[in-house]
Amino acid sequence: MVERGIKPDTFSYTILIDGFSKQGNVEKAVGFLKNMLKGGVLPNVVTYTAIISGFGKKGKLEEAFTLFKEVKNIGIEVDEFMYATLIHGACVKRDFDCVFHLLDEMENKGIKPSIVTYNIVINGLCKVGRTSEADNIFKQLDGDIVTYSTLLHWYTEEGNVEGIFEIKGKLEEAGLCMDVVACNILIKALFSIGAFEDARALYQAMPGMGLSADSVTYCTIIDGYCKIGKIEEALEEG
DNA sequence: TTAGGGTTAG
């Protein structure tokens, strides 16, 4: 672009910055931010969110917060995306005081967290073994398919049979549209509680729901059958 | 008419 005399704008810079942040090279992303500023191209809330996300993924929460304060000082209006990104970073660091503080701050600013932001918090709590706490805190919440998938996944990891039944029931009650990820998690959960026939029935019902099994589905089923010594069934489904 | 946040096996 530069060779051809095309001046990069906020969008092209932000795409580059986001790409480097996602690859784990937040230093390079910061370098591009500096280039932008030097060239008189103004970063916006999306640009800064990309960098904060890069810091968060690497566990560099302090750097993320320093930048967050800078953004506020510049006078750029922070939004739910930026808060969600910071919350994700705080979850990576297992700093839940920080997480709940950020949620409070959002509320004070009149920024209502969407289900995506709540799902970040739920997953963060589950990851540190606080699944039932996550489940309780967000009981009143209208979960989406990711919320239920996440809770079901972690209850399965914990071997919490009661939890599995609770979420399975809620999932059916909510009547949400299943996706492949949700099916894979539910199949695994069913295997874990010994409901092999239900697991198989769900797998077979997938095409009727407009879903096709992916490699995770097959691995889950093969693993499930192998663990109970049913090699024949494992071979059969493949 | 371009850019940003969440969930799956082993």
Side-chain angles (χ1 to χ4, degrees):
Chain A
M1 282 176 79
V2 174
E3 270 171 18
R4 287 173 178 239
I6 302 165
K7 196 175 176 295
D9 63 1
T10 303
F11 284 94
S12 38
Y13 267 118
T14 302
I15 294 166
L16 267 176
I17 286 171
D18 184 54
F20 281 111
S21 276
K22 282 205 167 88
Q23 279 210 328
N25 196 345
V26 67
E27 297 78 12
K28 195 133 190 168
V30 172
F32 277 107
L33 176 68
K34 286 178 180 160
N35 281 350
M36 277 180 93
L37 294 166
K38 231 191 312 181
V41 185
L42 285 183
N44 62 20
V45 67
V46 181
T47 319
Y48 284 113
T49 302
I51 297 193
I52 286 175
S53 167
F55 280 135
K57 283 192 171 75
K58 295 201 112 181
K60 297 187 167 181
L61 199 54
E62 262 183 46
E63 286 88 339
F65 268 97
T66 305
L67 194 56
F68 181 55
K69 278 175 201 139
E70 273 177 40
V71 170
K72 286 197 220 167
N73 287 337
I74 298 167
I76 291 177
E77 189 139 357
V78 298
D79 61 7
E80 199 215 337
F81 276 68
M82 191 170 269
Y83 273 107
T85 305
L86 274 169
I87 287 171
H88 181 79
C91 285
V92 169
K93 293 291 277 184
R94 303 173 164 224
D95 187 346
F96 291 99
D97 287 340
C98 181
V99 169
F100 289 111
H101 169 77
L102 286 165
L103 284 173
D104 283 343
E105 197 177 302
M106 286 176 79
E107 197 186 329
N108 293 336
K109 286 199 175 178
I111 302 172
K112 201 183 174 312
S114 69
I115 190 63
V116 174
T117 300
Y118 285 123
N119 286 341
I120 296 169
V121 179
I122 291 171
N123 185 56
L125 285 169
C126 290
K127 250 185 173 146
V128 298
R130 292 163 68 171
T131 304
S132 14
E133 196 182 329
D135 192 3
N136 278 321
I137 291 174
F138 299 101
K139 267 221 159 38
Q140 69 278 38
L141 209 74
D142 260 333
D144 66 1
I145 192 67
V146 175
T147 318
Y148 292 112
S149 302
T150 304
L151 288 169
L152 191 58
H153 168 71
W154 289 102
Y155 272 140
T156 305
E157 287 293 305
E158 289 176 4
N160 185 333
V161 177
E162 224 173 279
I164 291 172
F165 276 113
E166 178 218 316
I167 301 300
K168 186 177 164 290
K170 277 191 189 171
L171 184 57
E172 283 157 6
E173 209 177 295
L176 293 166
C177 201
M178 294 287 281
D179 59 16
V180 182
V181 175
C183 280
N184 292 345
I185 292 171
L186 186 51
I187 287 171
K188 188 175 172 179
L190 290 167
F191 267 113
S192 81
I193 57 172
F196 315 116
E197 284 312 311
D198 288 349
R200 190 195 176 94
L202 177 57
Y203 161 70
Q204 285 169 337
M206 284 176 72
M209 298 189 278
L211 303 171
S212 38
D214 63 8
S215 65
V216 177
T217 319
Y218 290 115
C219 286
T220 306
I221 289 175
I222 292 167
D223 182 61
Y225 277 133
C226 285
K227 273 184 182 146
I228 54 167
K230 296 198 172 188
I231 305 289
E232 286 310 313
E233 281 84 347
L235 288 169
E236 200 182 307
E237 297 298 354

